Amino acid sequence: MLVPSSFTTSVLPVQENVVKNIIFRVSALCLQLAVYNLCSYCAFKSKAYTSFLMFAEDHIQRFFFVSSRGWSRSAIIVLGFAILSPLAGLYDTLLWSLDSPGYVIKSSRDNALAVNDQLLTAPPYIVFIANPGGSVSSIDAEAAITGNLFKSGFNFTLPPMNDLSRGDIVPARQSLADAGGPLIWLDDEGFSVGIDSLSRNPRCIPETTDDRNQVWGCQFPNNDSSVIFPLPLGQPFIWWDGNQSEPMRPFRTDNLWSSLGTGGDTAAMKQVFTVTKGRRRHTFFETVLKVSMVSRFPASIDDAEILEMVRRTFSNDAADNIQPATQTLADVIITTQANHLSFSGGTFFRQDFSVSATSIELLNVTNQDDRISPEYVVLRYTSTNITLIRSETLPNPVTPLSPCPLYFSNLATGGRLRSTTCYLSTATQDPGSGFHGQLDASAVLILSDVFGDGSTARAATALNETGLLWYQNHTEHIDQVLASRAFILGGDRGSVLVDVQHTAPALSYLQLLLSLIPTLIALVSILLIKKDKRGYFQSSFFAAVHATTHLDESQCDKVGYSHVPPEIRLDVVDGHVLLGTPHGGTLGIVTLGGMDLPTPTEKNAAFVNQDLYHTVPTMEDP
């Protein structure tokens, strides 16, 4: 199998295909000229003037000529010309056949507003990537995230966004302990965003270690696990002010995270969402990773698998040795399982523009009839991070989708209003204070069967190293592309760059070389045919007749173009068809013998009333 190289691959762009066609066609014409001149030179060297005249005849006449001459030199010259000339005319076809691929991809960069007409009417805000086959090499995350965004046939890529750190925050109004968890503070009225802690057992009270960290860890009865296990994980929690708050829930009708974000399974979710209050819109990026192990028969997990699960989830490198802190945490979970209890432990962490939570739970889930004996046991790890990436002031304040007598918010997905939280609200309205603002899940990415299978009791299956390594290598690029999609759908499109690709005709170096070679051959052939000083093998039969019959002042020792071509007529005299000259004479065959050629003033008389069927010496060497 031939491997394409840069020499044979199309890399030299031209403006249009017509330019490429002209280059190839000129090359073919040069080759045809070279064939004509070279064959003419061969006829000149062989003194085969009749062979030269056959070049201007059609194929049938050439056939009669060749068949009448046999394998003589003159016949071979005509046969060679008859074969090579048509082949030279197909030379441009040969050059076209060498296209590999015949074009190059050219890119122009613009913002998404400039290509707004190419955007789909209602692009989906959900992107789902599943990998049931287990081969991460087949995952094309960028194609999945950028798919179903623009119209079919519009070729584009989304370059990285370099301005994802333009958030505006205010100093914290409450300490980490008083706020009940880490928050990103957005104004002085208590407007803030944090992580929903409803899935954490209220028995486990976080301990504040410093102004940025909280930790918790506790054991609790198994019947609490049945309540905690189905609760959603990693929901953003919005405080509109110091009193009113609500979680940002996924839409159950189209967002798979409403089911994957609860219970067991191993999956991940990334979303870009906006929170708008008045004219201030804040954009956040959230990442949630959930890894689960489950065992039902028996309802217990092997101690070694618990240790391995803790090592894999609480280490940056799955190949690390067991660290003392990892061993201690695993021992606590193992002891909890031996005591037939459930466990929850984790940390909250706050930075200026982000909040994060990491937890691990051993949940002995009981059935409704028996609240003590577990039906199955789940070891679940969860990691959540929410980062503020942009704050902006809108021209107009956000307005409610519809009136509501209670506290409520607009709900949107992909920049499109869908409903409100009025039906979920239970708080009565203070006069003029019912509408909070707007929540928009601009773009959501869900990954399933990429990191592992959460339905087994083996740590290596629940979180496989191959999937985790793939995620670590691609997560930064995935975040960039997902943010671009989110801003196109539900943000400032003018801030998103789009690289638009289009094809441009191109030549390969091989095609360029083969296009130039006929030009060089043509130049050589011109130099060779110039050895014909008289020019009879460079001119047409008309020019030869014009010169040799002295129809005007031209000389016969050197033939060329007729600048004022004479008028040749067909005359019929006594049943014979004669070629008439402009001065009333006729062209015929005469025997000159030892006569001198007539002078120009005598030529008309010399060619009038001559017999048409005389012999004349052959003129093979003019």
Side-chain angles (χ1 to χ4, degrees), residues 506-573:
L507 300 172
S508 66
Y509 286 106
L510 175 62
Q511 287 173 310
L512 180 61
L513 176 62
L514 293 179
S515 298
L516 294 176
I517 288 176
T519 305
L520 298 177
I521 298 175
L523 292 175
V524 172
S525 69
I526 291 173
L527 295 177
L528 287 175
I529 199 61
K530 288 298 181 182
K531 293 183 178 182
D532 173 25
K533 302 299 183 181
R534 295 180 179 178
Y536 281 88
F537 287 85
Q538 304 174 53
S539 304
S540 66
F541 184 61
F542 172 79
V545 170
H546 183 192
T548 55
T549 57
H550 300 276
L551 291 177
D552 55 20
E553 303 298 331
S554 61
Q555 299 298 317
C556 60
D557 59 341
K558 189 172 184 180
V559 68
Y561 290 104
S562 298
H563 296 284
V564 183
E567 200 67 39
I568 305 296
R569 305 184 315 274
L570 290 176
D571 295 332
V572 179
V573 179

Coordinates of all heavy atoms in Angstrom, one line a residue, residues 506-573:
A506 N -6.5 22.6 -5.0 CA -5.1 22.6 -4.7 C -4.4 21.7 -5.6 O -4.9 20.7 -6.1 CB -4.8 22.3 -3.2
L507 N -3.1 21.9 -5.8 CA -2.2 21.1 -6.5 C -1.2 20.4 -5.6 O -0.9 20.9 -4.5 CB -1.4 21.9 -7.6 CG -2.2 22.7 -8.6 CD1 -1.2 23.6 -9.4 CD2 -2.9 21.8 -9.6
S508 N -0.7 19.3 -6.0 CA 0.4 18.6 -5.3 C 1.7 19.1 -6.0 O 1.7 19.5 -7.2 CB 0.3 17.1 -5.3 OG 0.4 16.6 -6.7
Y509 N 2.8 18.9 -5.3 CA 4.1 19.2 -6.0 C 4.3 18.3 -7.2 O 4.9 18.7 -8.2 CB 5.2 19.0 -5.0 CG 5.3 20.1 -4.0 CD1 4.9 19.9 -2.6 CD2 5.8 21.4 -4.3 CE1 4.9 21.0 -1.7 CE2 5.8 22.4 -3.4 CZ 5.4 22.2 -2.1 OH 5.5 23.2 -1.2
L510 N 3.8 17.1 -7.1 CA 3.9 16.2 -8.3 C 3.2 16.7 -9.5 O 3.7 16.7 -10.6 CB 3.4 14.8 -7.9 CG 3.3 13.8 -9.1 CD1 4.7 13.5 -9.6 CD2 2.7 12.5 -8.6
Q511 N 1.9 17.2 -9.3 CA 1.1 17.8 -10.4 C 1.8 19.0 -10.9 O 1.8 19.3 -12.1 CB -0.3 18.1 -9.9 CG -1.1 16.9 -9.6 CD -2.5 17.2 -9.0 OE1 -2.5 17.9 -8.0 NE2 -3.5 16.7 -9.6
L512 N 2.4 19.8 -10.0 CA 3.1 21.0 -10.5 C 4.3 20.7 -11.3 O 4.5 21.3 -12.4 CB 3.5 21.9 -9.3 CG 4.2 23.2 -9.6 CD1 3.3 24.1 -10.4 CD2 4.7 23.9 -8.3
L513 N 5.0 19.7 -10.9 CA 6.2 19.3 -11.7 C 5.8 18.7 -13.0 O 6.4 19.1 -14.1 CB 7.0 18.2 -10.9 CG 8.2 17.6 -11.6 CD1 9.2 18.7 -11.9 CD2 8.8 16.4 -10.8
L514 N 4.7 17.9 -13.0 CA 4.3 17.3 -14.3 C 3.6 18.4 -15.2 O 3.5 18.2 -16.4 CB 3.3 16.2 -14.0 CG 3.9 14.9 -13.3 CD1 2.8 13.9 -13.1 CD2 5.0 14.3 -14.2
S515 N 3.2 19.5 -14.6 CA 2.6 20.5 -15.4 C 3.7 21.4 -16.1 O 3.5 21.9 -17.2 CB 1.7 21.5 -14.6 OG 0.6 20.7 -14.1
L516 N 4.9 21.4 -15.5 CA 6.0 22.2 -16.0 C 6.8 21.5 -17.0 O 7.4 22.1 -17.9 CB 6.9 22.7 -14.8 CG 6.3 23.7 -13.8 CD1 7.2 24.0 -12.7 CD2 5.9 25.0 -14.6
I517 N 6.9 20.1 -16.9 CA 7.7 19.3 -17.8 C 7.3 19.5 -19.2 O 8.2 19.7 -20.1 CB 7.7 17.9 -17.4 CG1 8.5 17.7 -16.1 CG2 8.2 17.0 -18.5 CD1 8.5 16.3 -15.5
P518 N 6.0 19.5 -19.6 CA 5.6 19.7 -21.0 C 6.1 21.0 -21.5 O 6.4 21.2 -22.7 CB 4.1 19.6 -21.0 CG 3.8 18.7 -19.9 CD 4.8 19.1 -18.8
T519 N 6.1 22.1 -20.7 CA 6.5 23.4 -21.1 C 8.0 23.3 -21.5 O 8.4 23.9 -22.5 CB 6.3 24.4 -20.0 OG1 4.9 24.4 -19.6 CG2 6.7 25.8 -20.5
L520 N 8.8 22.6 -20.7 CA 10.2 22.5 -21.0 C 10.5 21.7 -22.3 O 11.3 22.1 -23.1 CB 11.0 21.8 -19.9 CG 10.9 22.6 -18.5 CD1 11.6 21.8 -17.4 CD2 11.6 24.0 -18.7
I521 N 9.7 20.6 -22.5 CA 9.8 19.8 -23.7 C 9.4 20.6 -24.9 O 10.0 20.6 -26.0 CB 8.9 18.5 -23.6 CG1 9.4 17.7 -22.4 CG2 9.0 17.7 -24.8 CD1 8.6 16.4 -22.1
A522 N 8.3 21.4 -24.7 CA 7.9 22.3 -25.8 C 9.0 23.3 -26.3 O 9.2 23.5 -27.4 CB 6.6 23.0 -25.5
L523 N 9.6 23.9 -25.3 CA 10.7 24.8 -25.6 C 11.9 24.1 -26.3 O 12.4 24.6 -27.3 CB 11.2 25.4 -24.3 CG 10.3 26.4 -23.6 CD1 10.9 26.9 -22.2 CD2 10.0 27.6 -24.4
V524 N 12.2 22.9 -25.9 CA 13.2 22.1 -26.6 C 12.8 21.8 -28.0 O 13.6 21.9 -29.0 CB 13.6 20.8 -25.8 CG1 14.5 19.9 -26.6 CG2 14.2 21.2 -24.4
S525 N 11.6 21.4 -28.2 CA 11.1 21.1 -29.5 C 11.1 22.3 -30.4 O 11.4 22.2 -31.7 CB 9.7 20.5 -29.4 OG 8.7 21.5 -29.1
I526 N 10.8 23.5 -29.9 CA 10.8 24.7 -30.7 C 12.3 25.0 -31.2 O 12.5 25.4 -32.3 CB 10.3 25.9 -29.9 CG1 8.8 25.7 -29.7 CG2 10.5 27.2 -30.6 CD1 8.1 26.7 -28.8
L527 N 13.2 24.8 -30.3 CA 14.6 25.0 -30.6 C 15.1 24.0 -31.7 O 15.8 24.4 -32.6 CB 15.5 24.9 -29.4 CG 15.3 25.9 -28.3 CD1 16.2 25.6 -27.1 CD2 15.6 27.3 -28.9
L528 N 14.6 22.8 -31.6 CA 14.9 21.8 -32.6 C 14.3 22.1 -34.0 O 15.0 22.0 -35.0 CB 14.5 20.4 -32.2 CG 15.3 19.7 -31.0 CD1 14.6 18.4 -30.6 CD2 16.7 19.5 -31.4
I529 N 13.1 22.5 -34.0 CA 12.4 22.7 -35.3 C 13.0 24.0 -36.0 O 12.8 24.2 -37.2 CB 10.9 22.7 -35.1 CG1 10.2 22.5 -36.5 CG2 10.5 24.0 -34.5 CD1 10.5 21.2 -37.1
K530 N 13.6 24.8 -35.2 CA 14.2 26.1 -35.8 C 15.3 25.7 -36.7 O 15.8 26.6 -37.5 CB 14.6 27.0 -34.7 CG 13.5 27.7 -33.9 CD 12.7 28.6 -34.8 CE 11.6 29.3 -34.1 NZ 10.7 30.1 -35.0
K531 N 15.8 24.5 -36.7 CA 16.9 24.1 -37.6 C 16.4 24.0 -39.0 O 17.2 23.9 -40.0 CB 17.4 22.7 -37.2 CG 18.2 22.8 -35.8 CD 18.8 21.4 -35.5 CE 19.6 21.5 -34.2 NZ 20.3 20.2 -33.8
D532 N 15.1 23.9 -39.2 CA 14.5 24.0 -40.5 C 14.5 25.5 -40.9 O 13.6 26.3 -40.6 CB 13.1 23.5 -40.5 CG 12.3 23.7 -41.8 OD1 13.0 23.9 -42.8 OD2 11.1 23.8 -41.7
K533 N 15.6 26.0 -41.6 CA 15.8 27.4 -41.9 C 14.7 27.9 -42.8 O 14.3 29.1 -42.8 CB 17.2 27.6 -42.4 CG 18.3 27.2 -41.5 CD 18.3 27.9 -40.2 CE 19.4 27.5 -39.3 NZ 19.4 28.2 -38.0
R534 N 14.3 27.1 -43.8 CA 13.3 27.5 -44.8 C 11.9 27.6 -44.2 O 11.1 28.4 -44.7 CB 13.3 26.6 -46.0 CG 14.6 26.6 -46.8 CD 14.6 25.7 -47.9 NE 15.8 25.7 -48.7 CZ 16.0 24.9 -49.8 NH1 15.1 24.1 -50.1 NH2 17.2 25.0 -50.4
G535 N 11.7 26.8 -43.1 CA 10.4 26.9 -42.5 C 9.3 26.1 -43.0 O 8.1 26.2 -42.6
Y536 N 9.6 25.3 -44.0 CA 8.5 24.5 -44.6 C 7.9 23.5 -43.6 O 6.7 23.1 -43.8 CB 9.0 23.8 -45.9 CG 9.0 24.7 -47.1 CD1 10.1 25.5 -47.3 CD2 7.9 24.9 -47.9 CE1 10.1 26.4 -48.4 CE2 7.9 25.8 -49.0 CZ 9.0 26.5 -49.2 OH 9.0 27.4 -50.3
F537 N 8.7 23.0 -42.7 CA 8.2 22.0 -41.7 C 7.7 22.7 -40.5 O 7.4 22.1 -39.5 CB 9.4 21.0 -41.4 CG 9.7 20.1 -42.4 CD1 10.6 20.4 -43.5 CD2 9.1 18.8 -42.5 CE1 10.8 19.5 -44.5 CE2 9.4 17.9 -43.5 CZ 10.2 18.3 -44.5
Q538 N 7.6 24.0 -40.6 CA 7.0 24.7 -39.5 C 5.7 25.5 -39.9 O 5.0 26.1 -39.1 CB 7.9 25.8 -39.0 CG 9.3 25.3 -38.5 CD 10.2 26.4 -38.2 OE1 9.9 27.3 -37.3 NE2 11.4 26.4 -38.7
S539 N 5.4 25.4 -41.2 CA 4.3 26.1 -41.7 C 3.2 25.2 -42.4 O 3.5 24.0 -42.6 CB 4.8 27.1 -42.8 OG 5.7 28.0 -42.2
S540 N 2.1 25.7 -42.7 CA 1.0 24.9 -43.3 C 1.3 24.7 -44.8 O 2.1 25.4 -45.4 CB -0.3 25.6 -43.1 OG -0.3 26.9 -43.8
F541 N 0.5 23.8 -45.3 CA 0.6 23.6 -46.8 C 0.1 24.8 -47.5 O 0.6 25.2 -48.6 CB -0.3 22.4 -47.2 CG -0.2 22.0 -48.6 CD1 1.0 21.7 -49.2 CD2 -1.3 22.0 -49.4 CE1 1.1 21.4 -50.5 CE2 -1.2 21.7 -50.8 CZ 0.0 21.4 -51.3
F542 N -0.9 25.6 -47.0 CA -1.3 26.8 -47.6 C -0.2 27.8 -47.7 O 0.0 28.4 -48.8 CB -2.5 27.4 -46.8 CG -2.9 28.8 -47.2 CD1 -3.7 28.9 -48.3 CD2 -2.4 29.9 -46.5 CE1 -4.1 30.2 -48.7 CE2 -2.8 31.2 -46.9 CZ -3.7 31.3 -48.0
A543 N 0.6 27.9 -46.7 CA 1.8 28.9 -46.7 C 2.8 28.4 -47.7 O 3.4 29.2 -48.4 CB 2.4 29.0 -45.3
A544 N 3.0 27.1 -47.8 CA 4.0 26.5 -48.8 C 3.5 26.8 -50.2 O 4.3 27.2 -51.0 CB 4.2 25.0 -48.5
V545 N 2.2 26.6 -50.5 CA 1.7 26.9 -51.8 C 1.8 28.4 -52.1 O 2.2 28.8 -53.2 CB 0.3 26.4 -51.9 CG1 -0.4 26.9 -53.2 CG2 0.2 24.9 -51.9
H546 N 1.5 29.2 -51.1 CA 1.6 30.6 -51.3 C 3.0 31.1 -51.7 O 3.2 31.9 -52.6 CB 1.1 31.3 -50.0 CG 1.0 32.8 -50.1 ND1 0.9 33.6 -49.0 CD2 1.1 33.6 -51.1 CE1 0.9 34.8 -49.3 NE2 1.0 34.9 -50.6
A547 N 3.9 30.5 -51.0 CA 5.3 30.9 -51.2 C 5.9 30.3 -52.5 O 6.5 31.1 -53.3 CB 6.2 30.5 -50.1
T548 N 5.6 29.1 -52.8 CA 6.2 28.4 -54.0 C 5.6 28.9 -55.3 O 6.2 28.8 -56.3 CB 6.1 26.9 -53.8 OG1 4.7 26.5 -53.7 CG2 6.9 26.4 -52.7
T549 N 4.3 29.3 -55.2 CA 3.7 29.8 -56.5 C 3.8 31.3 -56.6 O 3.3 31.8 -57.6 CB 2.2 29.4 -56.4 OG1 1.6 29.9 -55.2 CG2 2.0 27.9 -56.4
H550 N 4.4 32.0 -55.7 CA 4.7 33.4 -55.8 C 3.4 34.2 -56.1 O 3.3 35.0 -57.0 CB 5.7 33.7 -56.9 CG 7.0 33.0 -56.6 ND1 8.0 33.6 -55.7 CD2 7.6 31.8 -57.0 CE1 9.1 32.8 -55.7 NE2 8.8 31.7 -56.4
L551 N 2.4 33.9 -55.3 CA 1.1 34.6 -55.5 C 1.2 36.1 -55.1 O 0.4 36.9 -55.4 CB 0.0 34.0 -54.6 CG -0.4 32.6 -55.1 CD1 -1.5 32.0 -54.1 CD2 -1.0 32.6 -56.5
D552 N 2.2 36.5 -54.4 CA 2.5 37.9 -54.1 C 4.0 38.1 -54.1 O 4.8 37.3 -54.7 CB 1.8 38.3 -52.8 CG 2.2 37.5 -51.6 OD1 3.3 36.8 -51.7 OD2 1.5 37.5 -50.6
E553 N 4.5 39.1 -53.4 CA 5.9 39.4 -53.5 C 6.7 38.5 -52.6 O 8.0 38.7 -52.4 CB 6.1 40.9 -53.0 CG 5.3 41.9 -53.8 CD 5.8 41.9 -55.2 OE1 7.0 41.6 -55.5 OE2 5.0 42.2 -56.1
S554 N 6.1 37.5 -51.9 CA 6.8 36.6 -51.0 C 7.8 35.8 -51.7 O 7.7 35.5 -52.9 CB 5.8 35.7 -50.2 OG 5.2 34.9 -51.1
Q555 N 8.9 35.4 -51.0 CA 9.9 34.5 -51.6 C 9.7 33.1 -51.1 O 9.2 32.8 -50.1 CB 11.3 35.0 -51.1 CG 11.6 36.5 -51.5 CD 11.7 36.7 -53.0 OE1 12.2 35.8 -53.7 NE2 11.1 37.8 -53.5
C556 N 10.2 32.2 -51.9 CA 10.0 30.8 -51.6 C 11.2 30.1 -50.8 O 11.1 29.0 -50.5 CB 9.8 30.0 -52.9 SG 11.3 30.1 -54.0
D557 N 12.3 30.9 -50.6 CA 13.4 30.3 -49.9 C 13.1 30.3 -48.4 O 13.9 29.7 -47.7 CB 14.7 31.1 -50.2 CG 14.6 32.6 -49.9 OD1 13.4 33.0 -49.8 OD2 15.6 33.2 -49.7
K558 N 12.1 31.0 -47.9 CA 11.8 31.0 -46.5 C 10.3 31.3 -46.4 O 9.8 32.4 -46.7 CB 12.6 32.1 -45.7 CG 12.4 32.0 -44.2 CD 13.4 32.9 -43.5 CE 13.3 32.7 -42.0 NZ 14.2 33.5 -41.2
V559 N 9.6 30.3 -45.9 CA 8.2 30.4 -45.8 C 7.7 30.7 -44.4 O 8.4 30.4 -43.4 CB 7.5 29.0 -46.2 CG1 7.8 27.9 -45.2 CG2 6.0 29.2 -46.4
G560 N 6.7 31.4 -44.2 CA 6.1 31.8 -42.9 C 4.7 32.1 -43.0 O 4.0 31.6 -43.9
Y561 N 4.2 32.9 -42.1 CA 2.8 33.2 -42.1 C 2.5 34.2 -43.3 O 3.3 35.0 -43.6 CB 2.3 33.9 -40.8 CG 2.3 32.9 -39.6 CD1 3.4 32.9 -38.7 CD2 1.3 32.0 -39.5 CE1 3.3 32.1 -37.6 CE2 1.3 31.1 -38.4 CZ 2.3 31.2 -37.5 OH 2.3 30.3 -36.4
S562 N 1.3 34.0 -43.9 CA 0.8 34.9 -44.9 C 0.1 36.1 -44.2 O -1.0 35.9 -43.7 CB -0.2 34.2 -45.9 OG 0.5 33.2 -46.5
H563 N 0.7 37.3 -44.2 CA 0.1 38.4 -43.5 C -1.1 38.9 -44.3 O -2.0 39.4 -43.6 CB 1.2 39.5 -43.4 CG 2.4 39.1 -42.6 ND1 2.3 39.1 -41.2 CD2 3.6 38.8 -42.9 CE1 3.5 38.7 -40.7 NE2 4.3 38.5 -41.8
V564 N -1.1 38.8 -45.6 CA -2.3 39.1 -46.4 C -2.7 37.9 -47.2 O -2.2 37.8 -48.4 CB -2.1 40.4 -47.3 CG1 -3.4 40.7 -48.0 CG2 -1.6 41.5 -46.5
P565 N -3.4 36.9 -46.6 CA -3.6 35.7 -47.4 C -4.4 35.9 -48.7 O -5.3 36.7 -48.7 CB -4.5 34.9 -46.4 CG -4.2 35.5 -45.1 CD -3.9 36.9 -45.3
P566 N -3.9 35.4 -49.8 CA -4.6 35.5 -51.0 C -5.9 34.8 -51.1 O -6.1 33.8 -50.3 CB -3.6 35.0 -52.1 CG -2.8 34.0 -51.3 CD -2.7 34.5 -49.9
E567 N -6.8 35.2 -52.0 CA -8.1 34.6 -52.1 C -7.9 33.4 -53.1 O -7.6 33.6 -54.3 CB -9.1 35.6 -52.6 CG -10.6 35.2 -52.4 CD -10.9 35.1 -50.9 OE1 -10.4 36.0 -50.1 OE2 -11.6 34.2 -50.5
I568 N -8.2 32.2 -52.7 CA -8.2 31.0 -53.6 C -9.6 30.6 -53.9 O -10.4 30.4 -53.0 CB -7.4 29.9 -53.0 CG1 -6.0 30.3 -52.5 CG2 -7.3 28.7 -53.9 CD1 -5.1 30.7 -53.7
R569 N -9.9 30.5 -55.2 CA -11.2 30.1 -55.7 C -11.2 28.7 -56.3 O -10.2 28.2 -56.7 CB -11.7 31.1 -56.7 CG -11.7 32.6 -56.3 CD -12.3 33.5 -57.4 NE -11.8 33.1 -58.7 CZ -10.7 33.6 -59.2 NH1 -10.0 34.4 -58.5 NH2 -10.4 33.3 -60.4
L570 N -12.4 28.2 -56.3 CA -12.7 26.9 -57.0 C -13.4 27.3 -58.3 O -14.5 27.7 -58.3 CB -13.5 26.0 -56.2 CG -12.9 25.4 -54.9 CD1 -13.9 24.5 -54.2 CD2 -11.6 24.5 -55.3
D571 N -12.6 27.1 -59.4 CA -13.2 27.3 -60.7 C -13.4 26.0 -61.5 O -12.6 25.1 -61.3 CB -12.2 28.2 -61.6 CG -12.1 29.6 -60.9 OD1 -13.1 30.0 -60.2 OD2 -11.1 30.3 -61.1
V572 N -14.4 26.0 -62.3 CA -14.7 24.8 -63.1 C -14.5 25.2 -64.6 O -15.2 26.1 -65.1 CB -16.1 24.2 -62.9 CG1 -16.3 23.0 -63.8 CG2 -16.3 23.9 -61.4
V573 N -13.5 24.6 -65.3 CA -13.2 24.8 -66.7 C -13.3 23.5 -67.4 O -12.4 22.6 -67.1 CB -11.9 25.6 -66.8 CG1 -11.6 25.8 -68.3 CG2 -11.9 26.8 -66.0

